[in-house]
Amino acid sequence: MPPKRRVRGPPLPALPESPDRQEDPIDEVDPMESPDRDDDLDNQRHRNMPDYMDDDFDNDEEDTSDNEDVQIIEHQHDTNVFDDRTIQGLEIRMRYTKVTPDMTGDQKMLVTTGRLVKKGVIDSCRQAFQARDNIGEELISASQKMIVAFKRANNMRHKNWNLVKEFFMELDARLVMQFEEVTVAEHRARVYKMVAMVAIELLVLGYNQEFFNFVLDLVESWAESESVASRINASCCVSYIFETGKTHNRQLSGENFSGFPLEGAYRLFRVLQRALLDKEASARIPAIKGMGVIQNCAIPSSWPVEHSAKELLTRSCRDMSWECRLVAIQSFMPRDEDLQLVSDIAYYDKSTIVRVAALEQLGKMRPHRDCREKVVLVDMCFKDHEPAVRDAAKMVLREWVARLARRYVNKAKQQDVVPMRGPDDEEAIPPPTGKGYILAGQGLCLLWLVHMVDSMESHLNLRRMMTHLLDVIRHMYLCHAEPISTFAEQIVVDLKETQPNCPVPLVTKSTIDTLLVDNPLNADNQDTNTTRAMVMFWRCLVEYMSDRARNEGDKFHAMSRFTHPLGTMCESLETFLNRVKEEEVPPTGGGYHEGFEDDVYVVQMSILENYLPVLKYCQQDQSGLDAYKQLLISMLMNPFYQKKVMDIIVQELGQFYKDDPHELFSLICARTSEMRDKYDGYHFPVLEGTVLIGEQKFRRDWKNEIAAGGSPKKKEKDLVNRHIDQYEIKVLNCCLKLALLKEWIPEYDDRYREKLRALTKAKDDSTKICAIECLGIIGCYDFDLVADDFREMADFHFQKLARHDPVTPEEHMVQASVVLALADMFVENPDKSTDILYDPPLEHWKNAENTPTFFADIICSDQHQSGSEILVRTVEALCRTLLNSRIDPTCPNWQKCIVTLMYRASFKITDHYSARLRSTILVTLKFFCSMNQRNQLVVVRSFRRFFSLWTNTADVTLLTENRNELFPKLKRCAHAFAALTRHTVLPADMQKNFQPSHVELLDDILDEVYGRSATNLVDFYLAALPHIEFEAFTRQVLTKYHTDLQCSMEQSGEDMERSHRNEIRRVQRKIAKLLGLNMDDGDIDEMPSTVSELRPTRRAAKATAPLDGIQEEDNEDSDDDNQPGPSTSAVKPKRTRAAPTPRKAPASAQKKSRKDAEELMASPPAKTGKKPSRPTTATRPSSRATASSATPMRTMPPRSARRLN
């Protein structure tokens, strides 16, 4: 319906019909024709005019000066009196009057100008609406036509003729037609944009705000309309006004907002602000787009506004409608400080499309700011279960690579000097045409490596990210379908064009010696972090090509571009180690910062960590393998390497001692004893030609420790012996993790066990963790050797957690190592020999009866903070014990473990840490229940204990902050129990040989409903009832349950609650449908239930609830549940039903069974005479027939209506 306030004038009187009014006179007027033109057609029209239109134009008002503006005044007119200067009289004369010979010159000019003004408005709107090709030029032309029409109307003011109002009346009529509907939205948007261009151009040209105020009144009127289409168009028009005003902002003088005066701009802003609160999502969408246009405009201090446009746009990202959230994030222009908002949407939004849009905005952000948070976000998106989210994460990397590549290429073009081909040749060599994608990838590696934490987990995540990055770069080179050798060749070709001017060159076969051997680490032209990034990217590139190679030949050709043969690479590494050793000594001239040794040591270890794995991909021969083995032995004799470097050395060296691992142990023991014997008090012995990299850092630490107190000579000797012991234990840890040993012989036990026990109490946490890990691996060989040690550690390291004392992150790491060791020993000793740890019970954990229950008690402890490492590792350890153990469904301890995991998974998600825990638990339980039926039975039998735990929990804020959401969330937990134990998730052979676990769950539900159970958990059991997989039951079982339910319903009568009876009736009807029985739907009493939220949704009635129903909100209750039921004033007689009998097959089915097989396989006849899906011209009602009827208003515009351009 139209708005309450209109801009049009009073309605015109009815005019007599005339045969000459079949054509529109405005179409016959030539804009260039003379006002004095007179022809027969004009005279004929003049003779046929009504008598009241044949008067001369009189001008009885006083003349005004040319410089004085004539105000537009609205009069209350009589229907039979017309003033030539008013809009009503002028309208009639201009429509039905031509220029006649008896008119004066002013009269002729007035009529002609008025008709030209009308034609200009119509033509401009028509041209903008019908623009197809060169839309920008068409809009400019249309706006110029309207500006010319406005100028013509405005120029008549000095003659006291108010043509401006005629101009606005005609424009109002055209815009009203645009506002009333939302069809062909692109064409309507062009009209709005043209009007915005006219408004800003008239302000720039110095005209008053008359046109702008007219647009304001029009928009405000239609923004208050009851029609959704009108409100949508009003918001769209305001959005285009602001968008057009920003382009002319610099051309205006004075204070303005987005190119318009402050007062008028405030009125437009209020229109958008009110539209954001519209109840229709389709009406909020254009307002959100409008806020996106002005989000970077500062709000004037004179405006009574509490929130800026950007803040309102940010709030729209939390809208209830996913379409509004999608438009909000697409309109949002994120800055570096908005990363948290983009991350939250990409992580937690329920709509996949919105998450993808958030990742698109992440790709537009600068990659060199907040690198760590961005890498973590993209890495998590690569692990997402939605393919669209994973593809969007690749597009983020693609945008970053393209952005850095453009920067490299443009910088290379600016710095490149283009030489001439010869003194006589004027043609120059073309500029470089390289793409720079691979160098951009290495630049991203540098950014990520500098900002990442120096830990093993972060490096693993970074290498995984580099694999995805190289996939993206390979697609950008358009060789993803080619062999990997083609990708290598494309990289080398691109480097020839872009690498000479690149600040971070790429390591290839031809640049290994130049970049890694000849240049020192701290040279002026090369930063140490740059060298780290180059080596790491080199390693990732080599590993990628090795993994993606189609065959050995393809791999050989690709590797030949980036590595030498193995013997040559060993020589290069030895030279590199010597150069790295030279850079350990601080410069003699000073100028280095405090902690120089620590920084150099970290860089050295990082380079070696990535350099060594490259050697195993080189071309191998026997001489190269011998040199490689000797190099590894030499490097192993250096006691100053980090543990991660030692792991790589021992892992590669173990390949040469697979047949005789005791030889490796003997070598390590002999060299360690030799190291102690040859130490002269200051210099470490050089064994096997090793290069002692990292020595300066440890000597500085020893010096500082000696300075703290004690005898220098004795102290230094003790420190060296302690360091050698730690080195020996680290090497032992590397060897044990390699699993070379078949058994743990007494010789090793006598040599190492006492040292390991002593080092479990060392001050250094890394050494303590290594010792605990060694004892755990020894316990896998023979648990009795370490049982007393782990009993003591389990009680000692977890006593703070039991007493609820604060625990430091370092202590968490030690606790995690104990947990992982206990899990390994429990899995490797399935005969329950590890239970002796808890007999007698532990001092601080008396309820722990075995290792899994010990883990369950740790998880249930309420002292875990967000990000606690011990909680994550304990959950992982408990999941591992479940997956690798034979489960007894009747064992209470296993039920306790299941309840603990489900209890922790039901906690509310507050951050990435809690989401990770829930995901880990749900994935584990899903796989756990798909292994065998015993695992499903232990989950079913844990149902009662789980809900009893929650009903007895005082702190329900762990589940939700809103107590009204407590029962719906627990209902989804019941859904999850039923979804986990579906019979169809088992292997096919188990489905045939075992009874469904839902049979036992259904028995428990019926026991609760009929009061045969001692607990009061009937509501939770009924929540799982709709998700019972009855389709997996045999016909015999279904018949039994149908009969039992019928008998129970007859016996219970009115004693059963109405809600429970309704749920049972629904199940009974479902079973009857599966059995082919007829059951009257009227047996179900549809009265409102006290637990109506337990009823299944329409969607859930067709499909089983998903596993992740714990974390998803479920507000889609059936509409039938909210409908009032029949009156209960009259008591209905109790119905009795006979025993169910099998239904006979219908006669049609018997006839079909006798048909010939060939006839059944014949194609069905084609259907003829199908009615069209949409009305044709013949069946579509005419416009006259529907003009008087109420046409349904479209409340949702098409997708195209929600685009600004």
PDB file of all heavy atoms in Angstrom, residues 160-187:
ATOM      1  N   ASN A 160       7.498  33.987 -13.100  1.00  0.00           N
ATOM      2  CA  ASN A 160       6.447  33.626 -12.152  1.00  0.00           C
ATOM      3  C   ASN A 160       5.691  32.361 -12.551  1.00  0.00           C
ATOM      4  O   ASN A 160       4.529  32.180 -12.186  1.00  0.00           O
ATOM      5  CB  ASN A 160       5.445  34.777 -11.973  1.00  0.00           C
ATOM      6  CG  ASN A 160       6.072  35.988 -11.340  1.00  0.00           C
ATOM      7  OD1 ASN A 160       7.108  35.885 -10.693  1.00  0.00           O
ATOM      8  ND2 ASN A 160       5.470  37.144 -11.550  1.00  0.00           N
ATOM      9  N   TRP A 161       6.313  31.498 -13.337  1.00  0.00           N
ATOM     10  CA  TRP A 161       5.678  30.224 -13.700  1.00  0.00           C
ATOM     11  C   TRP A 161       6.397  29.098 -12.945  1.00  0.00           C
ATOM     12  O   TRP A 161       7.596  28.920 -13.076  1.00  0.00           O
ATOM     13  CB  TRP A 161       5.741  29.977 -15.204  1.00  0.00           C
ATOM     14  CG  TRP A 161       5.035  31.031 -15.995  1.00  0.00           C
ATOM     15  CD1 TRP A 161       5.597  32.027 -16.714  1.00  0.00           C
ATOM     16  CD2 TRP A 161       3.633  31.197 -16.099  1.00  0.00           C
ATOM     17  NE1 TRP A 161       4.643  32.825 -17.283  1.00  0.00           N
ATOM     18  CE2 TRP A 161       3.404  32.327 -16.932  1.00  0.00           C
ATOM     19  CE3 TRP A 161       2.518  30.522 -15.601  1.00  0.00           C
ATOM     20  CZ2 TRP A 161       2.134  32.790 -17.259  1.00  0.00           C
ATOM     21  CZ3 TRP A 161       1.261  30.973 -15.927  1.00  0.00           C
ATOM     22  CH2 TRP A 161       1.067  32.095 -16.744  1.00  0.00           C
ATOM     23  N   ASN A 162       5.611  28.373 -12.173  1.00  0.00           N
ATOM     24  CA  ASN A 162       6.171  27.364 -11.273  1.00  0.00           C
ATOM     25  C   ASN A 162       6.284  26.022 -11.999  1.00  0.00           C
ATOM     26  O   ASN A 162       5.534  25.092 -11.744  1.00  0.00           O
ATOM     27  CB  ASN A 162       5.280  27.225 -10.036  1.00  0.00           C
ATOM     28  CG  ASN A 162       5.975  26.458  -8.924  1.00  0.00           C
ATOM     29  OD1 ASN A 162       7.102  26.026  -9.084  1.00  0.00           O
ATOM     30  ND2 ASN A 162       5.291  26.299  -7.813  1.00  0.00           N
ATOM     31  N   LEU A 163       7.261  25.925 -12.921  1.00  0.00           N
ATOM     32  CA  LEU A 163       7.482  24.656 -13.618  1.00  0.00           C
ATOM     33  C   LEU A 163       8.319  23.678 -12.801  1.00  0.00           C
ATOM     34  O   LEU A 163       8.400  22.500 -13.150  1.00  0.00           O
ATOM     35  CB  LEU A 163       8.168  24.916 -14.962  1.00  0.00           C
ATOM     36  CG  LEU A 163       7.324  25.620 -16.015  1.00  0.00           C
ATOM     37  CD1 LEU A 163       8.106  25.730 -17.307  1.00  0.00           C
ATOM     38  CD2 LEU A 163       6.034  24.880 -16.240  1.00  0.00           C
ATOM     39  N   VAL A 164       8.957  24.172 -11.734  1.00  0.00           N
ATOM     40  CA  VAL A 164       9.756  23.262 -10.901  1.00  0.00           C
ATOM     41  C   VAL A 164       8.869  22.227 -10.235  1.00  0.00           C
ATOM     42  O   VAL A 164       9.216  21.047 -10.139  1.00  0.00           O
ATOM     43  CB  VAL A 164      10.562  24.059  -9.860  1.00  0.00           C
ATOM     44  CG1 VAL A 164      11.295  23.125  -8.909  1.00  0.00           C
ATOM     45  CG2 VAL A 164      11.542  24.990 -10.547  1.00  0.00           C
ATOM     46  N   LYS A 165       7.705  22.655  -9.821  1.00  0.00           N
ATOM     47  CA  LYS A 165       6.822  21.686  -9.189  1.00  0.00           C
ATOM     48  C   LYS A 165       6.286  20.690 -10.212  1.00  0.00           C
ATOM     49  O   LYS A 165       6.068  19.517  -9.904  1.00  0.00           O
ATOM     50  CB  LYS A 165       5.671  22.395  -8.499  1.00  0.00           C
ATOM     51  CG  LYS A 165       4.863  21.444  -7.644  1.00  0.00           C
ATOM     52  CD  LYS A 165       4.272  22.118  -6.446  1.00  0.00           C
ATOM     53  CE  LYS A 165       3.689  21.081  -5.503  1.00  0.00           C
ATOM     54  NZ  LYS A 165       3.094  21.670  -4.309  1.00  0.00           N
ATOM     55  N   GLU A 166       6.060  21.140 -11.452  1.00  0.00           N
ATOM     56  CA  GLU A 166       5.686  20.188 -12.496  1.00  0.00           C
ATOM     57  C   GLU A 166       6.789  19.172 -12.734  1.00  0.00           C
ATOM     58  O   GLU A 166       6.544  17.981 -12.937  1.00  0.00           O
ATOM     59  CB  GLU A 166       5.381  20.951 -13.778  1.00  0.00           C
ATOM     60  CG  GLU A 166       5.253  20.080 -15.008  1.00  0.00           C
ATOM     61  CD  GLU A 166       4.090  19.108 -14.939  1.00  0.00           C
ATOM     62  OE1 GLU A 166       3.185  19.330 -14.099  1.00  0.00           O
ATOM     63  OE2 GLU A 166       4.091  18.123 -15.695  1.00  0.00           O
ATOM     64  N   PHE A 167       8.017  19.653 -12.662  1.00  0.00           N
ATOM     65  CA  PHE A 167       9.173  18.745 -12.783  1.00  0.00           C
ATOM     66  C   PHE A 167       9.166  17.700 -11.671  1.00  0.00           C
ATOM     67  O   PHE A 167       9.325  16.495 -11.918  1.00  0.00           O
ATOM     68  CB  PHE A 167      10.459  19.578 -12.748  1.00  0.00           C
ATOM     69  CG  PHE A 167      11.704  18.761 -12.626  1.00  0.00           C
ATOM     70  CD1 PHE A 167      12.306  18.195 -13.743  1.00  0.00           C
ATOM     71  CD2 PHE A 167      12.304  18.540 -11.391  1.00  0.00           C
ATOM     72  CE1 PHE A 167      13.459  17.436 -13.629  1.00  0.00           C
ATOM     73  CE2 PHE A 167      13.451  17.791 -11.275  1.00  0.00           C
ATOM     74  CZ  PHE A 167      14.037  17.243 -12.399  1.00  0.00           C
ATOM     75  N   PHE A 168       8.937  18.150 -10.431  1.00  0.00           N
ATOM     76  CA  PHE A 168       8.937  17.216  -9.315  1.00  0.00           C
ATOM     77  C   PHE A 168       7.730  16.286  -9.354  1.00  0.00           C
ATOM     78  O   PHE A 168       7.827  15.122  -8.973  1.00  0.00           O
ATOM     79  CB  PHE A 168       8.963  17.975  -7.989  1.00  0.00           C
ATOM     80  CG  PHE A 168      10.293  18.595  -7.686  1.00  0.00           C
ATOM     81  CD1 PHE A 168      10.378  19.886  -7.177  1.00  0.00           C
ATOM     82  CD2 PHE A 168      11.474  17.907  -7.913  1.00  0.00           C
ATOM     83  CE1 PHE A 168      11.597  20.455  -6.903  1.00  0.00           C
ATOM     84  CE2 PHE A 168      12.702  18.480  -7.638  1.00  0.00           C
ATOM     85  CZ  PHE A 168      12.761  19.763  -7.128  1.00  0.00           C
ATOM     86  N   MET A 169       6.594  16.793  -9.831  1.00  0.00           N
ATOM     87  CA  MET A 169       5.428  15.920  -9.936  1.00  0.00           C
ATOM     88  C   MET A 169       5.672  14.796 -10.940  1.00  0.00           C
ATOM     89  O   MET A 169       5.328  13.633 -10.702  1.00  0.00           O
ATOM     90  CB  MET A 169       4.205  16.740 -10.351  1.00  0.00           C
ATOM     91  CG  MET A 169       3.554  17.497  -9.218  1.00  0.00           C
ATOM     92  SD  MET A 169       2.844  16.429  -7.960  1.00  0.00           S
ATOM     93  CE  MET A 169       1.595  15.583  -8.905  1.00  0.00           C
ATOM     94  N   GLU A 170       6.267  15.135 -12.065  1.00  0.00           N
ATOM     95  CA  GLU A 170       6.536  14.117 -13.068  1.00  0.00           C
ATOM     96  C   GLU A 170       7.591  13.140 -12.571  1.00  0.00           C
ATOM     97  O   GLU A 170       7.478  11.916 -12.775  1.00  0.00           O
ATOM     98  CB  GLU A 170       6.998  14.782 -14.363  1.00  0.00           C
ATOM     99  CG  GLU A 170       7.029  13.868 -15.557  1.00  0.00           C
ATOM    100  CD  GLU A 170       5.658  13.297 -15.858  1.00  0.00           C
ATOM    101  OE1 GLU A 170       4.653  14.034 -15.777  1.00  0.00           O
ATOM    102  OE2 GLU A 170       5.597  12.081 -16.164  1.00  0.00           O
ATOM    103  N   LEU A 171       8.641  13.637 -11.906  1.00  0.00           N
ATOM    104  CA  LEU A 171       9.664  12.760 -11.353  1.00  0.00           C
ATOM    105  C   LEU A 171       9.093  11.885 -10.241  1.00  0.00           C
ATOM    106  O   LEU A 171       9.429  10.696 -10.127  1.00  0.00           O
ATOM    107  CB  LEU A 171      10.832  13.595 -10.825  1.00  0.00           C
ATOM    108  CG  LEU A 171      11.996  12.823 -10.207  1.00  0.00           C
ATOM    109  CD1 LEU A 171      12.593  11.853 -11.212  1.00  0.00           C
ATOM    110  CD2 LEU A 171      13.058  13.778  -9.677  1.00  0.00           C
ATOM    111  N   ASP A 172       8.183  12.450  -9.445  1.00  0.00           N
ATOM    112  CA  ASP A 172       7.546  11.661  -8.398  1.00  0.00           C
ATOM    113  C   ASP A 172       6.751  10.513  -8.989  1.00  0.00           C
ATOM    114  O   ASP A 172       6.781   9.376  -8.487  1.00  0.00           O
ATOM    115  CB  ASP A 172       6.647  12.563  -7.561  1.00  0.00           C
ATOM    116  CG  ASP A 172       5.876  11.781  -6.515  1.00  0.00           C
ATOM    117  OD1 ASP A 172       6.461  11.404  -5.488  1.00  0.00           O
ATOM    118  OD2 ASP A 172       4.674  11.519  -6.744  1.00  0.00           O
ATOM    119  N   ALA A 173       6.033  10.775 -10.055  1.00  0.00           N
ATOM    120  CA  ALA A 173       5.240   9.717 -10.677  1.00  0.00           C
ATOM    121  C   ALA A 173       6.123   8.594 -11.190  1.00  0.00           C
ATOM    122  O   ALA A 173       5.771   7.405 -11.085  1.00  0.00           O
ATOM    123  CB  ALA A 173       4.402  10.304 -11.808  1.00  0.00           C
ATOM    124  N   ARG A 174       7.279   8.954 -11.766  1.00  0.00           N
ATOM    125  CA  ARG A 174       8.175   7.917 -12.291  1.00  0.00           C
ATOM    126  C   ARG A 174       8.844   7.132 -11.166  1.00  0.00           C
ATOM    127  O   ARG A 174       9.001   5.915 -11.255  1.00  0.00           O
ATOM    128  CB  ARG A 174       9.247   8.555 -13.186  1.00  0.00           C
ATOM    129  CG  ARG A 174       8.681   9.399 -14.308  1.00  0.00           C
ATOM    130  CD  ARG A 174       7.749   8.605 -15.189  1.00  0.00           C
ATOM    131  NE  ARG A 174       6.902   9.470 -16.001  1.00  0.00           N
ATOM    132  CZ  ARG A 174       5.927   9.042 -16.781  1.00  0.00           C
ATOM    133  NH1 ARG A 174       5.660   7.750 -16.853  1.00  0.00           N
ATOM    134  NH2 ARG A 174       5.181   9.886 -17.470  1.00  0.00           N
ATOM    135  N   LEU A 175       9.238   7.826 -10.098  1.00  0.00           N
ATOM    136  CA  LEU A 175       9.922   7.124  -9.002  1.00  0.00           C
ATOM    137  C   LEU A 175       8.958   6.265  -8.191  1.00  0.00           C
ATOM    138  O   LEU A 175       9.356   5.231  -7.653  1.00  0.00           O
ATOM    139  CB  LEU A 175      10.615   8.140  -8.091  1.00  0.00           C
ATOM    140  CG  LEU A 175      11.807   8.875  -8.705  1.00  0.00           C
ATOM    141  CD1 LEU A 175      12.407   9.832  -7.694  1.00  0.00           C
ATOM    142  CD2 LEU A 175      12.856   7.905  -9.212  1.00  0.00           C
ATOM    143  N   VAL A 176       7.702   6.694  -8.096  1.00  0.00           N
ATOM    144  CA  VAL A 176       6.727   5.884  -7.358  1.00  0.00           C
ATOM    145  C   VAL A 176       6.554   4.527  -8.029  1.00  0.00           C
ATOM    146  O   VAL A 176       6.439   3.488  -7.363  1.00  0.00           O
ATOM    147  CB  VAL A 176       5.387   6.639  -7.257  1.00  0.00           C
ATOM    148  CG1 VAL A 176       4.256   5.691  -6.872  1.00  0.00           C
ATOM    149  CG2 VAL A 176       5.498   7.748  -6.233  1.00  0.00           C
ATOM    150  N   MET A 177       6.568   4.519  -9.356  1.00  0.00           N
ATOM    151  CA  MET A 177       6.470   3.239 -10.052  1.00  0.00           C
ATOM    152  C   MET A 177       7.675   2.351  -9.755  1.00  0.00           C
ATOM    153  O   MET A 177       7.561   1.124  -9.751  1.00  0.00           O
ATOM    154  CB  MET A 177       6.366   3.486 -11.564  1.00  0.00           C
ATOM    155  CG  MET A 177       5.044   4.112 -11.987  1.00  0.00           C
ATOM    156  SD  MET A 177       4.843   4.169 -13.773  1.00  0.00           S
ATOM    157  CE  MET A 177       6.123   5.328 -14.222  1.00  0.00           C
ATOM    158  N   GLN A 178       8.822   2.957  -9.499  1.00  0.00           N
ATOM    159  CA  GLN A 178      10.003   2.169  -9.165  1.00  0.00           C
ATOM    160  C   GLN A 178       9.946   1.640  -7.742  1.00  0.00           C
ATOM    161  O   GLN A 178      10.437   0.552  -7.446  1.00  0.00           O
ATOM    162  CB  GLN A 178      11.276   3.013  -9.348  1.00  0.00           C
ATOM    163  CG  GLN A 178      11.423   3.668 -10.702  1.00  0.00           C
ATOM    164  CD  GLN A 178      11.574   2.668 -11.820  1.00  0.00           C
ATOM    165  OE1 GLN A 178      12.131   1.592 -11.619  1.00  0.00           O
ATOM    166  NE2 GLN A 178      11.058   3.003 -12.987  1.00  0.00           N
ATOM    167  N   PHE A 179       9.321   2.391  -6.846  1.00  0.00           N
ATOM    168  CA  PHE A 179       9.316   2.021  -5.441  1.00  0.00           C
ATOM    169  C   PHE A 179       8.277   0.953  -5.117  1.00  0.00           C
ATOM    170  O   PHE A 179       8.401   0.286  -4.092  1.00  0.00           O
ATOM    171  CB  PHE A 179       9.036   3.250  -4.560  1.00  0.00           C
ATOM    172  CG  PHE A 179      10.251   4.064  -4.256  1.00  0.00           C
ATOM    173  CD1 PHE A 179      10.666   5.069  -5.098  1.00  0.00           C
ATOM    174  CD2 PHE A 179      10.993   3.815  -3.115  1.00  0.00           C
ATOM    175  CE1 PHE A 179      11.776   5.819  -4.814  1.00  0.00           C
ATOM    176  CE2 PHE A 179      12.116   4.560  -2.823  1.00  0.00           C
ATOM    177  CZ  PHE A 179      12.506   5.570  -3.681  1.00  0.00           C
ATOM    178  N   GLU A 180       7.279   0.797  -5.947  1.00  0.00           N
ATOM    179  CA  GLU A 180       6.170  -0.068  -5.572  1.00  0.00           C
ATOM    180  C   GLU A 180       6.452  -1.545  -5.745  1.00  0.00           C
ATOM    181  O   GLU A 180       5.740  -2.369  -5.184  1.00  0.00           O
ATOM    182  CB  GLU A 180       4.928   0.323  -6.388  1.00  0.00           C
ATOM    183  CG  GLU A 180       4.341   1.656  -5.948  1.00  0.00           C
ATOM    184  CD  GLU A 180       3.147   2.057  -6.801  1.00  0.00           C
ATOM    185  OE1 GLU A 180       3.002   1.466  -7.900  1.00  0.00           O
ATOM    186  OE2 GLU A 180       2.379   2.924  -6.377  1.00  0.00           O
ATOM    187  N   GLU A 181       7.460  -1.937  -6.529  1.00  0.00           N
ATOM    188  CA  GLU A 181       7.761  -3.344  -6.739  1.00  0.00           C
ATOM    189  C   GLU A 181       9.269  -3.551  -6.691  1.00  0.00           C
ATOM    190  O   GLU A 181      10.047  -2.594  -6.664  1.00  0.00           O
ATOM    191  CB  GLU A 181       7.200  -3.822  -8.093  1.00  0.00           C
ATOM    192  CG  GLU A 181       5.682  -3.834  -8.162  1.00  0.00           C
ATOM    193  CD  GLU A 181       5.185  -4.424  -9.457  1.00  0.00           C
ATOM    194  OE1 GLU A 181       6.039  -4.945 -10.222  1.00  0.00           O
ATOM    195  OE2 GLU A 181       3.989  -4.360  -9.717  1.00  0.00           O
ATOM    196  N   VAL A 182       9.649  -4.836  -6.709  1.00  0.00           N
ATOM    197  CA  VAL A 182      11.070  -5.177  -6.651  1.00  0.00           C
ATOM    198  C   VAL A 182      11.507  -6.020  -7.841  1.00  0.00           C
ATOM    199  O   VAL A 182      12.613  -6.561  -7.850  1.00  0.00           O
ATOM    200  CB  VAL A 182      11.397  -5.933  -5.343  1.00  0.00           C
ATOM    201  CG1 VAL A 182      11.256  -5.035  -4.152  1.00  0.00           C
ATOM    202  CG2 VAL A 182      10.515  -7.169  -5.205  1.00  0.00           C
ATOM    203  N   THR A 183      10.642  -6.170  -8.826  1.00  0.00           N
ATOM    204  CA  THR A 183      11.048  -6.925 -10.014  1.00  0.00           C
ATOM    205  C   THR A 183      12.072  -6.132 -10.806  1.00  0.00           C
ATOM    206  O   THR A 183      12.192  -4.906 -10.652  1.00  0.00           O
ATOM    207  CB  THR A 183       9.823  -7.215 -10.881  1.00  0.00           C
ATOM    208  OG1 THR A 183       9.174  -5.976 -11.207  1.00  0.00           O
ATOM    209  CG2 THR A 183       8.844  -8.121 -10.165  1.00  0.00           C
ATOM    210  N   VAL A 184      12.803  -6.838 -11.686  1.00  0.00           N
ATOM    211  CA  VAL A 184      13.893  -6.252 -12.499  1.00  0.00           C
ATOM    212  C   VAL A 184      14.691  -5.251 -11.677  1.00  0.00           C
ATOM    213  O   VAL A 184      14.801  -4.067 -12.001  1.00  0.00           O
ATOM    214  CB  VAL A 184      13.345  -5.620 -13.797  1.00  0.00           C
ATOM    215  CG1 VAL A 184      12.869  -6.682 -14.749  1.00  0.00           C
ATOM    216  CG2 VAL A 184      12.214  -4.631 -13.525  1.00  0.00           C
ATOM    217  N   ALA A 185      15.239  -5.748 -10.577  1.00  0.00           N
ATOM    218  CA  ALA A 185      15.898  -4.871  -9.608  1.00  0.00           C
ATOM    219  C   ALA A 185      17.090  -4.150 -10.212  1.00  0.00           C
ATOM    220  O   ALA A 185      17.393  -3.012  -9.828  1.00  0.00           O
ATOM    221  CB  ALA A 185      16.346  -5.687  -8.396  1.00  0.00           C
ATOM    222  N   GLU A 186      17.822  -4.801 -11.156  1.00  0.00           N
ATOM    223  CA  GLU A 186      18.974  -4.133 -11.740  1.00  0.00           C
ATOM    224  C   GLU A 186      18.564  -2.867 -12.473  1.00  0.00           C
ATOM    225  O   GLU A 186      19.243  -1.833 -12.387  1.00  0.00           O
ATOM    226  CB  GLU A 186      19.698  -5.077 -12.702  1.00  0.00           C
ATOM    227  CG  GLU A 186      20.310  -6.299 -12.042  1.00  0.00           C
ATOM    228  CD  GLU A 186      19.335  -7.456 -11.954  1.00  0.00           C
ATOM    229  OE1 GLU A 186      18.128  -7.211 -12.200  1.00  0.00           O
ATOM    230  OE2 GLU A 186      19.766  -8.581 -11.649  1.00  0.00           O
ATOM    231  N   HIS A 187      17.441  -2.923 -13.175  1.00  0.00           N
ATOM    232  CA  HIS A 187      16.980  -1.754 -13.923  1.00  0.00           C
ATOM    233  C   HIS A 187      16.514  -0.654 -12.971  1.00  0.00           C
ATOM    234  O   HIS A 187      16.773   0.539 -13.214  1.00  0.00           O
ATOM    235  CB  HIS A 187      15.848  -2.161 -14.868  1.00  0.00           C
ATOM    236  CG  HIS A 187      16.253  -3.195 -15.867  1.00  0.00           C
ATOM    237  ND1 HIS A 187      16.763  -2.869 -17.106  1.00  0.00           N
ATOM    238  CD2 HIS A 187      16.254  -4.547 -15.817  1.00  0.00           C
ATOM    239  CE1 HIS A 187      17.040  -3.980 -17.774  1.00  0.00           C
ATOM    240  NE2 HIS A 187      16.741  -5.013 -17.017  1.00  0.00           N
TER     241      HIS A 187
END
